[in-house]
């Protein structure tokens, strides 16, 4: 047995533990003199009070010779002179098939206090996006199980979609429908910055028992430190990457990417970055592409990703919405007006787009979708005239046709929360709609 490389490893091993000392705490930021540590490394802060657990923190910056740390938990129990020990490693979590059906936090710990199953592998939460040349083109449709999407905005396997919505327009319900009805082997759901009340509500009501059986839910509620909310997004993405590399069809859903950006803004402002666009710091716009580009296809498999974007006051041009729309491969706009009219899911077909639909849908399917889109567009352009009774039937044939088809299209686009409709059924229903009749799924 050759033990020379073991002996050389022992000789090179650093047997000393080096500590630093906490010097000041300002807001959510801890400044420490030492130890030697690099950006992104995890450090342990040992409280002065006996019998207290050490606190995990991450190196986020430097100030002269001092290191700036941000904790993964609350700042309680940290006082002047607390020892700071570097782990010499960035954050890693335990991942494996045993996590399916579990609800975990940003550090990969089980939220219901139950122990994690054995046999999980260590995996770094920060990974580089795949090489563009190793990304397979998106060539096949991905069944979402929501007929408005499958028929009019077909999603490809490995596509990344933004769901743009104001508050209370039904995006959580839509995510639950996609999680239950899609053809994915596994769902990874990241609930970032949610109210604590909504977490169980989403898992029990929107996701349901059937949905949870093939899902891993990562939770970072709004009361948690900014770093935990950011890490929630990274943890969910790394879990998706792990299963993609095993060849699974993965469905990643993140609610919401806006709250990840807000958490990154908090970190940026605390470390001294200047606020630029609407108070967002430059690091926000550097972080978003790195995070969103990690999903999609690679040589092993594909992650189909749905990112919700909160649009304050339904303003589609606010900085985060604008940036995310430019990075992703399509966007679904949820319309408050449609929700008020009782149309669910409240997706505004005319304002939404799937950038890969033409590559993956058949010519017949694309033609049917264009016909319905054209009828909707004609009706919308003339809706004011129609509603006040100023339009007389027989004046324009295309408007007459749009008026007669409009109620049927609205009925077609509606779907019950627990109604399951396949991609093929959606296309058949489009054919029936345009041929004068419509069957309900």
């Amino acid at each position: 047995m050759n033990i020379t490389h073991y002996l050389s490893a022992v000789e090179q091993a650093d047997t000393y533990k080096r500590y630093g000392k906490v010097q000041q705490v300002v807001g959510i930021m801890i400044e420490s003199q030492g130890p030697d540590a690099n950006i992104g490394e995890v450090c342990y802060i040992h409280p002065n009070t006996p019998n207290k657990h050490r606190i995990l923190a991450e190196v986020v910056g430097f100030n002269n010779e001092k290191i700036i740390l941000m904790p993964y938990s609350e700042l309680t129990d940290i006082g002047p002179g607390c020892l700071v020990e570097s782990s010499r490693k960035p954050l890693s979590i335990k991942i494996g098939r045993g996590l399916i059906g579990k609800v975990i936090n940003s550090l990969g710990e089980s939220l219901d206090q139950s122990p994690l199953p054995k046999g999980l592998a260590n995996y770094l939460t920060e990974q580089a996006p795949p090489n563009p040349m190793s990304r397979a083109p998106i060539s096949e449709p991905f069944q979402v199980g929501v007929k408005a999407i499958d028929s009019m905005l077909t999603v490809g396997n490995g596509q990344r979609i933004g769901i743009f919505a104001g508050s209370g327009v039904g995006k959580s319900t839509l995510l639950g429908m996609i999680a239950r009805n899609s053809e994915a082997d596994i769902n990874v759901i990241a609930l970032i910055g949610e109210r604590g009340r909504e977490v169980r509500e989403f898992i029990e009501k929107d996701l349901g028992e059937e949905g949870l059986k093939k899902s891993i839910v990562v939770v970072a509620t709004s009361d948690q430190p900014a770093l935990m909310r950011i890490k929630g997004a990274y943890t969910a993405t790394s879990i998706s990457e792990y299963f993609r590399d095993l060849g699974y069809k993965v469905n990643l859903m993140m609610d919401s990417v806006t709250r990840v950006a807000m958490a990154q803004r908090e970190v940026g402002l605390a470390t001294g970055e200047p606020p630029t666009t609407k108070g967002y710091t430059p690091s926000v716009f550097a972080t978003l592409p790195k995070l969103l580009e990690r999903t999609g296809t690679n040589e092993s498999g594909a992650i189909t990703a749905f990112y919700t974007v909160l649009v304050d006051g339904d303003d589609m041009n606010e900085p985060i919405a604008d940036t995310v729309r430019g990075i992703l491969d399509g966007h679904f706009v949820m319309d408050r007006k449609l929700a008020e009219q009782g149309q669910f899911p409240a997706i505004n077909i005319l304002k939404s787009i799937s950038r890969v639909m033409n590559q993956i849908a058949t010519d017949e399917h694309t033609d049917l979708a264009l016909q319905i889109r054209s009828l909707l567009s004609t009706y919308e352009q003339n809706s004011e005239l129609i509603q006040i009774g100023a339009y007389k039937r027989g004046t324009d044939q295309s408007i007459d046709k749009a008026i007669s088809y409009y109620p049927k299209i609205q009925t077609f686009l509606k779907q019950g929360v627990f109604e399951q409709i396949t991609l093929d059924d959606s296309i058949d229903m489009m054919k029936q709609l345009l041929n004068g009749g419509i069957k309900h799924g």
Side-chain angles (χ1 to χ4, degrees):
M1 183 183 171
N2 186 2
I3 61 163
T4 50
H5 62 282
Y6 290 108
L7 290 171
S8 66
V10 169
E11 280 170 23
Q12 288 165 20
D14 188 354
T15 54
Y16 290 95
K17 274 192 179 176
R18 292 174 177 79
Y19 292 93
K21 272 190 176 182
V22 171
Q23 295 212 318
Q24 71 166 347
V25 175
V26 180
I28 55 171
M29 193 176 70
I30 302 159
E31 213 171 82
S32 142
Q33 186 74 52
D36 284 344
N38 300 324
I39 294 272
E41 277 182 19
V42 173
C43 290
Y44 306 113
I45 301 172
H46 298 268
N48 292 328
T49 325
N51 305 322
K52 291 285 183 184
H53 292 295
R54 62 189 186 179
I55 293 155
L56 258 68
E58 187 176 301
V59 181
V60 293
F62 298 96
N63 181 9
N64 296 327
E65 295 292 306
K66 295 171 185 166
I67 65 170
I68 297 167
L69 300 148
M70 222 160 251
Y72 290 123
S73 57
E74 293 306 317
L75 285 163
T76 48
D77 302 322
I78 295 177
C82 282
L83 293 179
V84 181
E85 176 193 347
S86 174
S87 69
R88 299 264 171 210
K89 295 193 294 269
L91 181 68
S92 67
I93 55 161
K94 291 193 175 293
I95 307 179
R97 289 185 182 90
L99 276 187
I100 298 171
K102 289 271 186 191
V103 181
I104 59 171
N105 68 9
S106 305
L107 305 177
E109 300 160 346
S110 185
L111 268 189
D112 59 4
Q113 312 299 308
S114 64
L116 288 176
K118 290 188 167 62
L120 302 180
N122 274 329
Y123 201 81
L124 289 175
T125 58
E126 294 213 27
Q127 303 280 344
N131 182 323
M133 294 307 288
S134 72
R135 285 189 184 273
I138 296 167
S139 56
E140 57 181 52
F142 177 86
Q143 180 185 296
V144 171
V146 177
K147 65 181 168 183
I149 296 172
D150 281 339
S151 60
M152 301 296 297
L153 303 158
T154 314
V155 173
N157 185 30
Q159 188 174 354
R160 299 157 309 142
I161 292 285
I163 298 173
F164 291 75
S167 51
V169 190
K171 62 182 183 309
S172 294
T173 309
L174 178 62
L175 289 181
M177 285 172 77
I178 295 169
R180 287 192 311 273
N181 300 348
S182 80
E183 61 173 318
D185 301 318
I186 181 167
N187 297 310
V188 181
I189 302 165
L191 302 177
I192 311 294
E194 290 285 318
R195 304 172 189 91
R197 170 187 66 80
E198 290 177 333
V199 173
R200 263 189 83 169
E201 210 170 89
F202 175 81
I203 293 165
E204 289 173 14
K205 195 179 98 189
D206 296 323
L207 189 58
E209 202 177 320
E210 280 303 304
L212 188 59
K213 274 182 193 167
K214 63 167 191 174
S215 302
I216 298 168
V217 184
V218 182
V219 175
T221 49
S222 56
D223 57 294
Q224 292 186 325
L227 209 56
M228 278 292 263
R229 281 174 274 145
I230 297 167
K231 290 297 166 191
Y234 282 97
T235 295
T237 308
S238 56
I239 292 171
S240 306
E241 288 168 328
Y242 173 84
F243 285 103
R244 173 180 64 186
D245 292 344
L246 293 178
Y248 282 78
K249 247 188 194 178
V250 186
N251 187 2
L252 169 67
M253 287 180 273
M254 193 177 292
D255 184 16
S256 76
V257 78
T258 310
R259 296 205 180 105
V260 178
M262 287 173 172
Q264 183 62 46
R265 173 174 66 184
E266 279 181 50
V267 172
L269 291 171
T271 51
E273 277 189 78
T276 49
T277 319
K278 281 205 177 174
Y280 287 100
T281 56
S283 64
V284 173
F285 302 102
T287 302
L288 282 174
K290 282 183 193 165
L291 176 64
L292 304 179
E293 281 291 334
R294 284 170 62 180
T295 53
T297 57
N298 74 354
E299 62 271 16
S300 308
I303 300 169
T304 308
F306 296 88
Y307 298 97
T308 69
V309 182
L310 290 171
V311 281
D312 292 329
D314 298 320
D315 173 17
M316 288 297 297
N317 298 316
E318 60 102 34
I320 299 304
D322 226 18
T323 306
V324 171
R325 195 166 51 234
I327 299 165
L328 299 178
D329 313 316
H331 52 271
F332 300 162
V333 177
M334 300 195 75
D335 196 324
R336 194 173 296 282
K337 249 189 253 171
L338 293 175
E340 286 163 358
Q341 289 165 14
Q343 183 179 319
F344 289 101
I347 299 169
N348 186 321
I349 299 296
L350 296 176
K351 287 184 181 173
S352 306
I353 191 167
S354 167
R355 289 184 186 163
V356 302
M357 181 174 174
N358 290 343
Q359 296 161 224
I360 55 171
T362 60
D363 291 344
E364 183 191 24
H365 179 183
T366 311
D367 185 50
L368 291 167
L370 280 173
Q371 285 182 55
I372 293 176
R373 199 177 267 267
S374 171
L375 289 165
L376 272 176
S377 176
T378 305
Y379 186 91
E380 287 296 327
Q381 282 166 11
N382 299 281
S383 62
E384 285 182 16
L385 290 174
I386 296 163
Q387 282 159 12
I388 62 170
Y391 174 75
K392 286 194 174 72
R393 284 198 176 232
T395 313
D396 186 313
Q397 203 178 354
S398 64
I399 299 175
D400 289 347
K401 190 180 177 186
I403 291 169
S404 65
Y405 272 98
Y406 188 73
K408 296 175 192 172
I409 294 170
Q410 294 301 89
T411 308
F412 166 70
L413 293 174
K414 285 180 187 174
Q415 184 172 337
V417 175
F418 293 99
E419 195 180 347
Q420 288 194 344
I421 296 166
T422 65
L423 177 64
D424 293 336
D425 287 347
S426 299
I427 297 167
D428 288 342
M429 289 167 85
M430 286 169 89
K431 287 179 194 167
Q432 289 157 15
L433 163 65
L434 290 169
N435 293 334
I438 180 165
K439 285 182 190 169
H440 292 279

